[in-house]
Amino acid sequence: MGDSAYLKKFVENHPKNKMAWYLLGKEYEASGQTGKARYCYIQAGGVYEAFEASKIPEDLWMGYKADLLQETKQREKRSRFLRKLGIALLIALVVIGHPSAYAPSEKTAEPATAGLQDEPGAETDPAVPDAKPATPPGKAPAKAGSAGSADAVKGPVFTAQGYAFGKAKAGAEALGGLIDLQNRTGAPILNAVVLGMEREGDYLLWTDGMPVVYELEQNPDQGTTTIQSYDAEACRCTPPDASGLQAAAERWIPYQESLGVLASAMQRYKEGTGAWPTGLDDLTGPFPDNWLAGSDPVMVKTFGPLLKRLQNAAGSGAAGQPSANSDAVKDSLAPEEQPYFSEPFEIIVDKKTHVLAVVSGDKLIRSYPVGLGGDRTPEGSFAISDKVINPNGRDNGEFGSRGMQLSDTNYAIHGTNDPDSIGKDESLGCIRMGKKDVEELFDLAPKGTKVTIGKGILPDLESVPKERFKLGHREDQTNPHRVYHWLN
């Protein structure tokens, strides 16, 4: 039990590190303290189940313990520890097949916490039925497991993950993303790819240029798994050409944005009406029923299965809505059609930085410069109650081409005929945006979208894609029956 003191200290400092709990349990079990061992195994959760149910050699998890103890004794070697542990996590990926996210006939992705790392809030829970040793990044082979099953997904399948570019712990973060991706799919993934997201403050930046940072390939015929890092600094290797993967990723990104907007509109519709939409037409009607500004082929294709997914997540379909087994709702989302964003889109406005952002949880999807009114711009929580095209009856009026009213107030997010006021406090309280920005926001933010206004809550940055998000199939979203008098 000479190591138990170090392990106990480690789990006290890092209670979410499930591997540490597992190793401490093994120490207690070896010394005959079965009660304490059982408690540790309960805390270890899926890690205990994965290791106990597998045929992993004892020297492998003993190697985990040795690294962990070294971490506790010598904090200065923390980066190396994280890299080793992160690579070891890929063991879990080799044999399993759980839920994931894809893009049509491309690859897809889902967010994840970094694997076995000791960063605040990080949690390790591979929950793997059979795990076998894998090898470090840089095209190194390892034995593959059940990836050869008939329902295996060829991929490539993408996920986006926070990534510390050029740093040792980057590998642990990326591999944690691969494990989360595997945990989200309905079948083993033969080719999984991680896109790297930079961090700014509390947010991970979702952009159209997220680079490929890691790739996993499994070959059931040869019984091998290949792990490739595309970050030359982190892996100290010369990565192969990633242009093909990058091109596929750039098609997957807007696909996921469409799914995120559609899912957000469905949930806001349910909140606003008390019932789920029965069809896309419920969301894309003319003003004031324009929960969505329009639609696109992705939304047309995925409406039914996405509705079923949201209903199941909420517990059951509402009365009068199509059941999960009805013809109106297809069986379920195919792996390549599963959404990446797990939370509805929201708008955040920072009065200090003069930035408006669209976010989903900790993912910052867009950020734009805005004009405000200083103390005249209210702070607090609101919701978009009206979405109007050409609120002045033309696209070059004082409110520009788009307007989104904030709850039942005289404040709105709208365009402007005074673009020089962007970034300044010259309005009477409303939020002014440039023409391209407000038109993209109009399509990204469904009616009912939550809006939070405060100070010091966003990083000072502008993040817009080369190709703006734009919906088609629009109904009439003007409102000729009202003259708007927002506090411009």
Side-chain angles (χ1 to χ4, degrees):
M1 288 299 291
D3 294 334
S4 61
Y6 292 108
L7 291 170
K8 183 177 180 181
K9 181 179 180 181
F10 189 91
V11 298
E12 287 175 351
N13 293 331
H14 312 289
K16 292 187 177 182
N17 192 313
K18 296 183 181 296
M19 177 60 80
W21 280 108
Y22 174 72
L23 294 175
L24 182 57
K26 297 296 288 186
E27 285 289 303
Y28 281 132
E29 184 178 21
S31 66
Q33 300 183 64
T34 56
K36 290 184 177 180
R38 178 175 175 77
Y39 176 81
C40 292
Y41 292 150
I42 291 173
Q43 303 306 310
V47 171
Y48 171 80
E49 297 170 4
F51 277 70
E52 293 298 309
S54 66
K55 298 178 180 179
I56 298 176
E58 182 176 344
D59 60 349
L60 180 65
W61 61 261
M62 289 297 289
Y64 277 118
K65 184 175 74 171
D67 280 342
L68 188 147
L69 294 175
Q70 184 75 354
E71 153 70 4
T72 309
K73 298 174 183 178
Q74 297 180 309
R75 299 284 297 179
E76 64 270 18
K77 294 184 179 180
R78 182 165 172 265
S79 320
R80 188 189 313 172
F81 168 75
L82 288 169
R83 182 166 64 251
K84 289 180 180 179
L85 237 43
I87 299 303
L89 276 178
L90 199 51
I91 297 167
L93 274 172
V94 175
V95 257
I96 61 174
H98 297 300
S100 129
Y102 303 29
S105 54
E106 319 282 331
K107 332 171 181 189
T108 10
E110 281 279 356
T113 57
L116 289 171
Q117 58 178 326
D118 64 343
E119 293 296 308
E123 182 172 341
T124 301
D125 191 359
V128 206
D130 294 302
K132 297 184 180 181
T135 48
K139 283 294 179 185
K143 288 295 182 181
S146 61
S149 59
D151 59 349
V153 178
K154 292 182 179 180
V157 179
F158 291 99
T159 187
Q161 172 70 31
Y163 188 80
F165 291 88
K167 297 182 180 179
K169 72 173 183 178
E173 293 175 331
L175 295 175
L178 285 173
I179 287 176
D180 183 80
L181 177 62
Q182 190 76 292
N183 284 338
R184 291 173 182 269
T185 194
I189 302 172
L190 301 186
N191 185 203
V193 180
V194 178
L195 306 180
M197 290 188 289
E198 295 186 8
R199 180 174 289 279
E200 284 288 343
D202 296 331
Y203 293 98
L204 295 171
L205 304 185
W206 170 275
T207 69
D208 60 344
M210 294 181 291
V212 173
V213 293
Y214 257 80
E215 180 183 15
L216 171 97
E217 289 185 281
Q218 298 191 68
N219 188 324
D221 296 332
Q222 297 181 7
T224 60
T225 292
T226 301
I227 308 161
Q228 176 64 57
S229 169
Y230 287 86
D231 184 347
E233 291 186 49
C235 72
R236 297 187 181 93
C237 65
T238 301
D241 180 24
S243 58
L245 290 174
Q246 203 68 56
E250 290 172 4
R251 294 189 292 271
W252 172 76
I253 289 168
Y255 178 88
Q256 288 297 332
E257 291 173 355
S258 290
L259 287 182
V261 172
L262 177 58
S264 298
M266 289 178 171
Q267 292 172 86
R268 299 308 182 191
Y269 183 93
K270 176 65 163 62
E271 293 170 1
T273 67
W276 291 102
T278 58
L280 199 53
D281 289 347
D282 287 346
L283 303 175
T284 59
F287 178 90
D289 298 320
N290 54 331
W291 295 84
L292 278 172
S295 63
D296 61 23
V298 173
M299 295 178 177
V300 173
K301 178 182 179 182
T302 62
F303 177 88
L306 184 57
L307 174 64
K308 176 183 175 181
R309 178 189 177 103
L310 294 174
Q311 288 177 328
N312 290 341
S316 63
Q321 304 305 311
S323 70
N325 296 320
S326 73
D327 292 337
V329 179
K330 306 303 180 185
D331 290 340
S332 62
L333 285 169
E336 66 273 15
E337 296 171 337
Q338 295 182 20
Y340 171 82
F341 297 107
S342 59
E343 299 183 40
F345 286 9
E346 297 184 7
I347 293 173
I348 297 178
V349 180
D350 192 326
K351 294 173 61 176
K352 181 179 180 181
T353 59
H354 288 77
V355 169
L356 179 151
V358 179
V359 305
S360 171
D362 67 345
K363 312 300 185 299
L364 192 151
I365 302 163
R366 297 286 193 278
S367 58
Y368 313 98
V370 294
L372 301 169
D375 292 339
R376 291 169 294 193
T377 298
E379 297 182 27
S381 295
F382 306 88
I384 294 177
S385 55
D386 275 357
K387 287 165 56 77
V388 184
I389 290 180
N390 297 340
N392 296 118
R394 61 189 192 280
D395 65 3
N396 60 351
E398 61 175 341
F399 299 142
S401 62
R402 302 288 188 274
M404 290 158 274
Q405 184 167 316
L406 301 182
S407 301
D408 297 320
T409 71
N410 282 331
Y411 300 100
I413 302 169
H414 56 68
T416 181
N417 58 1
D418 183 12
D420 290 339
S421 66
I422 302 297
K424 302 174 184 177
D425 289 320
E426 296 184 357
S427 80
L428 296 177
C430 282
I431 300 161
R432 298 177 179 179
M433 301 184 70
K435 188 175 189 297
K436 290 183 178 180
D437 294 344
V438 75
E439 290 180 356
E440 182 178 42
L441 180 66
F442 193 86
D443 285 10
L444 282 169
K447 189 169 80 167
T449 296
K450 179 182 176 182
V451 179
T452 300
I453 304 175
K455 294 178 181 176
I457 53 179
L458 285 174
D460 186 4
L461 61 86
E462 182 177 346
S463 180
V464 295
K466 300 172 187 175
E467 296 291 333
R468 299 286 186 142
F469 181 84
K470 186 174 183 180
L471 295 173
H473 182 64
R474 298 177 184 273
E475 299 286 349
D476 183 4
Q477 296 172 69
T478 63
N479 184 13
H481 306 294
R482 177 180 173 186
V483 177
Y484 288 91
H485 296 289
W486 295 320
L487 293 173
N488 182 47

